[in-house]
Amino acid sequence: MRKTERVPRRRLGADGPEVPVLALGSWNTWDRMDRDDAAALLRRAVDRGVNLFDVAHYNFGPHAENAVTDVLFGQAVRDAGLAREDYLLCGKLWLWEYPASSFAEQMETALGRVGTDRADLVVVGDFVERPDLRAVVTDVAEQVRAGRFAAWGVNNWSAADLRFARDFARAEGLVPPVFAQLKYSLARRSVPEGAPYGELFAGGLGLQASDVLEGGILAGRLRPARRIGADPGGIREVIRAALPEVRRVAERFEASPAQLAIAYCLTHPAAANVLVGVSRMGQLDDNLAALDLLARHGDALPEAVAGLWLDRGVVDPAASWGTDAPSAAT
């Protein structure tokens, strides 16, 4: 991809906004750079059209780590001289302490830490014990009415729970979820490519792919020093063992492993974008080059990586992140 070319945009679900196909996540990202580098990377990303940033306040449930990555992101925005209209902000609402920690309180805190008065999108986080989904949908809609954000999605919910939330919202005249942020990679395909979610995607739901590099493992960093996402199905060592095959396939296309992983996820018919957690300018440039691979060889990628589907038969396509088993909202 030419260094002056802006990335393509896709609609995030039938009723969602247009977003860049490449977006930057926040967990263990902005706290891995010095201040000047963070501002320079942010400026470069926005100049290339990579202007959607997934940013959260990580201090709930298993993420109760008092992280400051969101505060540092806000500082980088100011240092880079960006206006609010220059970028899209995707926040998170956590369910670990909900409803004791209300969505209104969470949004006030999260937006204040970044230094803005609104997000554009919000992802409602995953859960192990199902909350009252009717209350969740109603409370999210109240935040939309308050102008805190305009559209929302969910993070690693089962298809059954998401369908329930969507149908309840529509029946009550509330704003329904328009996308799902799901773990999706060369290795982890069972949920995003399974029949339960397939029905939702066919009905207009959008897909935002997260963990596409398995915390860096699929880019060649076998033992990341930082914390990375959960391991549904317990296949992480199998993924590490598959890296030579990932490299072999990438070399066939004159690409890096990271480029192969990103481009493959963007071949999914419902995929609007992928989230990556770059912390160096070189990583951003390498990831941008995945879009050239997609343009040149996108049709050939699914067959080329067919043998790298490593959670097939291990993770139930109807599962949620928290349970690895089907759930049924009642």
Side-chain angles (χ1 to χ4, degrees), residues 92-150:
K92 275 195 169 67
L93 290 171
W94 300 105
L95 294 172
W96 302 108
E97 299 171 20
Y98 172 85
S101 177
S102 72
F103 289 164
E105 293 168 337
Q106 290 188 42
M107 288 303 302
E108 182 177 359
T109 298
L111 294 173
R113 287 169 64 88
V114 171
T116 186
D117 61 354
R118 62 179 174 85
D120 297 282
L121 309 165
V122 160
V123 177
V124 180
D126 47 25
F127 53 85
V128 175
E129 294 186 10
R130 187 181 305 106
D132 180 344
L133 296 182
R134 295 177 181 87
V136 169
V137 172
T138 302
D139 289 350
V140 168
E142 181 58 35
Q143 293 305 297
V144 174
R145 282 193 294 268
R148 296 284 178 80
F149 49 88

Side-chain angles (χ1 to χ4, degrees), residues 76-217:
V77 166
R78 293 185 289 275
D79 288 348
L82 297 178
R84 182 60 184 85
E85 59 268 23
D86 292 333
Y87 68 95
L88 299 171
L89 178 63
C90 183
K92 275 195 169 67
L93 290 171
W94 300 105
L95 294 172
W96 302 108
E97 299 171 20
Y98 172 85
S101 177
S102 72
F103 289 164
E105 293 168 337
Q106 290 188 42
M107 288 303 302
E108 182 177 359
T109 298
L111 294 173
R113 287 169 64 88
V114 171
T116 186
D117 61 354
R118 62 179 174 85
D120 297 282
L121 309 165
V122 160
V123 177
V124 180
D126 47 25
F127 53 85
V128 175
E129 294 186 10
R130 187 181 305 106
D132 180 344
L133 296 182
R134 295 177 181 87
V136 169
V137 172
T138 302
D139 289 350
V140 168
E142 181 58 35
Q143 293 305 297
V144 174
R145 282 193 294 268
R148 296 284 178 80
F149 49 88
W152 67 287
V154 304
N155 177 235
N156 296 319
W157 287 22
S158 73
D161 286 332
L162 177 51
R163 184 181 296 107
F164 178 89
R166 180 202 63 185
D167 292 349
F168 173 75
R170 289 174 174 173
E172 296 296 317
L174 304 174
V175 178
V178 297
F179 71 99
Q181 187 183 100
L182 300 176
K183 287 180 178 291
Y184 187 34
S185 72
L186 296 170
R188 300 188 188 275
R189 308 183 202 171
S190 292
V191 174
E193 296 187 10
Y197 257 104
E199 295 176 4
L200 293 171
F201 293 140
L205 185 76
L207 169 62
Q208 186 175 78
S210 68
D211 299 87
V212 297
L213 299 180
E214 193 72 15
I217 293 171

Side-chain angles (χ1 to χ4, degrees), residues 253-276:
F253 296 103
E254 298 182 332
S256 70
Q259 291 164 10
L260 177 68
I262 291 168
Y264 173 74
C265 289
L266 287 171
T267 67
H268 191 296
N273 61 9
V274 300
L275 294 175
V276 292

